[in-house]
Amino acid sequence: MKQLLIGFLIVITFGLSCSSPPYSHMAKTTNEHLSNNLPRDSFVQIRSKVSIRSCAAGLCVTRTERFVGSGFVVKKTSNGSFIMTAGHICHDPRESATHVLSHIVVDLSGEIYEAISLIRDLENDMCLMHAKGLTNRPPIPLARRAPEPGEKLYNLAAPAGIFGVNMVPIIHGHYNGEDEGRAIYSVPAAGGSSGSVVLNSNFEVVGMIHSVHMRFPVITIGPTFKKLKDFIDQNTKRFSNL
C-alpha cells in the first residue's frame, strides 16, 4: 500500500502466556450483551516454531525460533476444527528440509492441540488451518454483509502474547473503509494480534487483522470482507473430508 507502512503482527516469543439477518444500524450494546454473546470460546492462540538444523565440520545442531499469533474457529469437522489466521503465521520463506515449521493451538481453557496449515493466500495474508481434536469450541458465523465505514467493531486478540486461561483481550474500534484492496480499521494491535477476528455488533465475522501501521499502531489492516468470506467458504468446502 502506497500510503501505509505495514508491519506484520508476530512476536518472536511466547510472551506472557506459560450468517445473519439483513444489515441494520448497530444498536447500543450493554455489558450483559457482551458477556453473554461475545464468542470468546472460539478464540485460539497459535504458537508456531521453526526448527532449524545446520551442520558444519561433521557436527549438526538444531535451534528453534518461536512466534505466536491469534486465530478463531470458523467451522467444525468430524474430528476437529478449521481455524482462520494470518498467512504469515503459516508461512516461513525458509521452509525446507532443514527449516521445519510446526504449529499448536491453545484454546481458552488452556488445552493444546496440534494444527496443520491447509492452504495459504499470501497476497491477502490469509491461512486456513485444521486442529485435530478441537471439537468443543463453537465456530463464529460469517456475516452476510461487510461493515459500513464508521461502524463500531470488536476484536478478540492476544497482542504482545497477552493470553491465559479464560482470559483473552477484548478490543474495540471502528471500520474505516478500504484502501487499495485492503480493509482498514482503527483497532489497536501489537505483535501477537496477527490473525485475530473482527466482529460486528451481532458478533459475526466481518474481518481479520494481519498487519499494523508502523508509525501509528491503532491503524490496522486486513483482507476485505469479500476476500475473507470467499476464502473461508471455498476452502472449508474444499477440505470438508477432514
Side-chain angles (χ1 to χ4, degrees):
M1 298 175 68
K2 296 177 182 177
Q3 299 146 326
L4 294 175
L5 299 175
I6 298 174
F8 289 132
L9 291 164
I10 60 176
V11 178
I12 312 303
T13 176
F14 280 168
L16 301 180
S17 62
C18 18
S19 290
S20 70
Y23 174 82
S24 61
H25 291 293
M26 188 178 70
K28 183 178 180 181
T29 304
T30 66
N31 289 334
E32 182 181 2
H33 180 54
L34 272 175
S35 175
N36 291 342
N37 295 284
L38 193 68
R40 296 169 68 250
D41 284 347
S42 305
F43 176 88
V44 295
Q45 186 184 53
I46 299 171
R47 300 177 181 178
S48 303
K49 69 177 182 180
V50 183
S51 298
I52 303 168
R53 180 177 173 83
S54 58
C55 299
L59 178 65
C60 296
V61 297
T62 300
R63 64 184 178 89
T64 301
E65 296 178 0
R66 303 176 188 270
F67 55 94
V68 297
S70 298
F72 54 101
V73 177
V74 292
K75 190 174 182 179
K76 289 187 178 181
T77 68
S78 60
N79 65 350
S81 294
F82 290 118
I83 305 292
M84 191 68 201
T85 190
H88 64 269
I89 295 294
C90 300
H91 175 69
D92 188 306
R94 304 166 298 174
E95 199 169 353
S96 66
T98 59
H99 291 66
V100 180
L101 180 63
S102 60
H103 316 277
I104 60 172
V105 301
V106 186
D107 68 15
L108 202 61
S109 67
E111 295 294 322
I112 296 174
Y113 304 87
E114 291 187 2
I116 59 170
S117 168
L118 298 175
I119 189 167
R120 302 172 293 211
D121 176 348
L122 296 181
E123 179 181 357
N124 294 293
D125 209 346
M126 299 183 290
C127 174
L128 186 70
M129 307 179 82
H130 184 261
K132 188 176 180 179
L134 180 60
T135 58
N136 61 344
R137 298 293 163 176
I140 309 177
L142 285 164
R144 291 184 181 179
R145 295 176 181 263
E148 296 285 344
E151 185 175 342
K152 185 176 180 179
L153 302 174
Y154 298 90
N155 173 232
L156 295 174
I162 301 168
F163 174 73
V165 174
N166 200 29
M167 194 285 293
V168 58
I170 302 165
I171 304 162
H172 62 82
H174 294 84
Y175 176 64
N176 299 320
E178 294 182 15
D179 184 29
E180 297 188 0
R182 293 184 174 98
I184 310 298
Y185 307 98
S186 50
V187 175
S193 294
S194 283
S196 58
V197 65
V198 180
L199 306 161
N200 63 16
S201 61
N202 294 318
F203 304 130
E204 301 160 327
V205 177
V206 292
M208 181 191 75
I209 288 172
H210 60 55
S211 303
V212 66
H213 194 293
M214 295 175 67
R215 294 181 180 174
F216 195 55
V218 297
I219 297 297
T220 41
I221 303 105
T224 65
F225 171 74
K226 184 179 187 309
K227 289 176 181 176
L228 181 66
K229 185 177 186 302
D230 288 348
F231 182 82
I232 293 172
D233 285 342
Q234 292 167 12
N235 290 300
T236 52
K237 291 177 182 176
R238 176 180 176 181
F239 295 99
S240 60
N241 60 328
L242 289 175

